[in-house]
Amino acid sequence: MLKIENYINGELVAPIDQQYLDNINPATGQVYSLIPDSNAGDVEKAVKAAKDAFPDWSTCGIDTRAKLLNKIADLIDQNLEELALAESIDNGKPLSLAKSVDIPRASSNFRFYASGIQHFASEAHFMEGTAINYTKRSAVGVAGCISPWNLPLYLFSWKIAPALAAGNTVVAKPTEVTPMTAYLLSKICIEAGLPNGVLNIVHGLGHKAGQAIVEHKDVPLISFTGGTETGKKLAATAAPMFKKLSLELGGKNPNIIFADCDFDDMLKTTIRSSFANQGQICLCGSRIFIERPIYEKFKKAFVEKVEKMHVGDPLDANTKMGAVVSEPHMNKVLGYIKLAQEEGGTILCGGNQVSLQGDCAGGFFIAPTVIEGLDYQCRTNQEEIFGPVVTLTPFDSEEEVLTMANATAYGLAATIWTQDLKRAHRVAHQVKSGIVWVNCWLLRDLRTPFGGMKQSGVGREGGFEALRFFTEPQNVCIKL
Ligand code: NDP
């Protein structure tokens, strides 16, 4: 059975303790590879390698760094098929999605920051007749990058690429739930000729290997994407050490549909924004608010389409919905569906585990689920489920829908459907979320600030925001 290895100081190595964890294919329920169960000793080795590599990497010049990042992007493109297959098997997502979204986006992340760093300028401030201030921005040191399982290589590279472009060296930990493409990325980095120690990938458990990265005194900045509860723990560890922290956390995103929307476009997109990646995208809209005049029309058309969604083997080209990522996660999602019923919700479709035949008989599949009749303040409508489950709620006025949309602890993304331009702006400005899409969803420009308000995070990724995070500004004031 394949044993995944850590990538430390330019080499693929076994964990010090020789301990491994099972890696399960969620579409079959079978163990198909082994993952290093790394400990603080492995992290220590990785941090030392990253620290030793920092002086040369941070001063080698942006052209050299950009060239290497572009080379990594080229190799990701060349290995698209292998990477997409690995992502699909590891995560349960449809192969077609991994091929069209996850892997192309991972190479875009490297290419984008290879270019971005060459356009990243610092500021100068003139004090008329008195002095000139200029801001010097330098790489900080060893960056700790910790990412989740839903978009494994996509989100892993979204952190690593700007960290490296800015001149930091990196110790990264992918989640142990989906480690495979991070492992393949380490092979790509070796092939690309990335200098030893510039990127180190330590596999293992969050509370063990991840915690050791966050606690390490020589890792002054941490970029984390994951759940809000984990984010709280990270912040509690990192804050007394005065580390720079970027936290991209959970969401409970509203999808607000006004009666004057382009109905067909809205319906098609709402299917995607509800169930893409089995609803396991932090940006999926899980609370759908529909203006009352079109509530029944929407409900009928939406449920009809959802019922036709093919849940199946992620490797089958017809599959629209693959497996959810793990058995514990499947049980968590099914638990929320039960809770919704206890809270008085009516299941309009789905609501159950799906059993497939053949190779996928032991897999973790859930039918796309639509629920109505719940109060906006109940737990089902407040807590992040992160699966193929949405709720429908009618509304009568802008004021009412804004109250409901803003009623959770989260504030990551929102979608608004209306043809009334003034209303689009008005509502967008009052929704408390870091990202608002009007008449679209997941239309991403990598230059824009990405992140959430309230308990959805601290700081922003994307564009120059990430390069600002991964550099330390210093003001130099020169008297004229
Ligand atoms: P988790 O918070 O469970 O884990 C995220 C990462 O943190 C994993 O690599 C995990 O390792 C690691 N980790 C866990 N505990 C610690 C610790 N004490 N110290 C350091 N690292 C630790 O999130 P999930 O993987 O379950 O991902 C789903 C969550 O991510 C959802 O809440 C979702 O909304 C959020 N998310 C947010 C996005 C955003 O941009 N705002 C984008 C995508 C997802 P391991 O899993 O190996 O234990």
Side-chain angles (χ1 to χ4, degrees):
M1 188 171 301
L2 172 71
K3 270 189 181 166
I4 286 176
E5 293 174 294
N6 288 332
Y7 171 49
I8 298 178
N9 204 21
E11 288 180 355
L12 296 173
V13 292
I16 294 172
D17 278 358
Q18 302 287 334
Q19 295 299 310
Y20 289 85
L21 304 158
D22 289 342
N23 188 20
I24 295 170
N25 174 345
T28 63
Q30 302 296 315
V31 176
Y32 82 103
S33 66
L34 297 173
I35 316 153
D37 181 6
S38 307
N39 62 23
D42 298 289
V43 169
E44 184 62 44
K45 268 173 61 185
V47 174
K48 182 173 181 322
K51 215 175 149 191
D52 291 349
F54 180 73
D56 282 352
W57 181 249
S58 57
T59 55
C60 70
I62 52 176
D63 287 351
T64 304
R65 295 203 294 268
K67 214 166 161 183
L68 277 159
L69 295 190
N70 275 324
K71 177 82 180 145
I72 292 171
D74 290 345
L75 289 170
I76 292 175
D77 289 343
Q78 284 165 28
N79 291 283
L80 170 77
E81 299 289 332
E82 185 195 0
L83 287 162
L85 185 62
E87 203 72 296
S88 172
I89 291 173
D90 220 18
N91 172 278
K93 66 179 66 209
L95 178 58
S96 56
L97 187 71
K99 236 188 243 186
S100 60
V101 177
D102 291 75
I103 307 306
R105 171 60 193 277
S107 89
S108 297
N109 289 341
F110 281 104
R111 232 179 273 292
F112 177 81
Y113 279 106
S115 163
I117 194 62
Q118 303 187 59
H119 299 269
F120 185 49
S122 58
E123 310 83 26
H125 300 90
F126 294 89
M127 297 165 75
E128 211 54 55
T130 314
I132 306 170
N133 296 272
Y134 66 85
T135 309
K136 179 173 174 284
R137 285 194 167 269
S138 317
V140 185
V142 180
C145 296
I146 299 175
S147 58
W149 47 256
N150 61 329
L151 304 164
L153 191 61
Y154 175 133
L155 289 174
F156 198 55
S157 53
W158 184 229
K159 299 184 176 308
I160 290 170
L164 295 180
N168 303 282
T169 52
V170 171
V171 175
K173 194 200 85 67
T175 161
E176 105 276 355
V177 183
T178 54
M180 192 56 84
T181 47
Y183 172 58
L184 297 177
L185 178 70
S186 45
K187 292 184 167 184
I188 282 176
C189 290
I190 292 170
E191 192 181 342
L194 193 68
N196 294 350
V198 166
L199 171 63
N200 304 274
I201 301 177
V202 183
H203 295 272
L205 297 164
H207 60 82
K208 196 167 159 187
Q211 184 74 21
I213 295 172
V214 180
E215 283 175 359
H216 202 292
K217 65 175 182 17
D218 292 331
V219 180
L221 70 174
I222 303 287
S223 174
F224 169 81
T225 299
T228 294
E229 282 310 310
T230 317
K232 273 185 203 166
K233 277 189 215 145
L234 250 81
T237 306
M241 299 173 83
F242 302 104
K243 298 192 177 208
K244 281 188 100 174
L245 257 188
S246 166
L247 301 174
E248 299 296 334
L249 308 176
K252 188 74 181 173
N253 308 314
N255 178 2
I256 303 172
I257 301 169
F258 287 97
D260 68 348
C261 67
D262 175 336
F263 191 86
D264 293 344
D265 191 14
M266 175 278 296
L267 188 64
K268 200 167 58 167
T269 309
T270 296
I271 293 284
R272 260 194 336 116
S273 68
S274 303
F275 299 115
N277 205 37
Q278 296 73 248
Q280 302 166 135
I281 301 181
C282 53
L283 306 165
C284 278
S286 54
R287 294 178 298 146
I288 309 179
F289 298 105
I290 307 107
E291 204 171 12
R292 200 171 302 272
I294 60 160
Y295 184 81
E296 290 302 327
K297 178 182 171 190
F298 172 83
K299 180 170 115 180
K300 186 167 177 289
F302 187 65
V303 169
E304 239 170 52
K305 274 196 181 295
V306 175
E307 278 174 336
K308 285 192 192 129
M309 290 182 82
H310 177 63
V311 180
D313 183 346
L315 304 183
D316 179 342
N318 293 323
T319 294
K320 289 277 176 284
M321 300 267 302
V324 297
V325 77
S326 66
E327 190 170 20
H329 190 61
M330 176 179 74
N331 290 335
K332 177 190 149 185
V333 175
L334 292 171
Y336 270 107
I337 294 171
K338 191 161 167 272
L339 172 72
Q341 289 166 294
E342 286 160 14
E343 290 184 320
T346 304
I347 309 242
L348 300 173
C349 65
N352 55 288
Q353 184 181 351
V354 176
S355 301
L356 300 180
Q357 304 298 314
D359 289 348
C360 294
F364 317 128
F365 297 87
I366 299 180
T369 300
V370 183
I371 304 170
E372 72 168 354
L374 287 167
D375 186 84
Y376 73 96
Q377 287 176 313
C378 71
R379 280 184 56 205
T380 311
N381 270 329
Q382 291 290 315
E383 297 174 17
E384 185 182 43
I385 299 174
F386 214 56
V389 179
V390 295
T391 62
L392 309 187
T393 309
F395 69 89
D396 293 298
S397 69
E398 270 179 41
E399 198 188 0
E400 185 194 9
V401 78
L402 279 163
T403 301
M404 296 195 287
N406 289 333
T408 73
Y410 297 105
L412 187 55
T415 307
I416 300 166
W417 289 93
T418 178
Q419 306 234 43
D420 178 338
L421 188 58
K422 283 189 179 164
R423 171 155 64 196
H425 287 291
R426 198 166 55 232
V427 175
H429 296 177
Q430 291 179 80
V431 175
K432 297 272 180 285
S433 50
I435 300 153
V436 181
W437 279 292
V438 177
N439 299 331
C440 59
W441 179 72
L442 211 60
L443 199 51
R444 290 280 293 120
D445 180 330
L446 302 189
R447 294 169 300 179
T448 58
F450 178 90
M453 296 180 182
K454 302 195 280 182
Q455 292 190 20
S456 287
V458 176
R460 294 291 183 272
E461 296 186 322
F464 291 149
E465 298 284 342
L467 294 178
R468 285 189 196 104
F469 173 74
F470 283 114
T471 52
E472 189 77 81
Q474 177 192 42
N475 187 65
V476 179
C477 177
I478 303 168
K479 194 174 173 209
L480 292 177

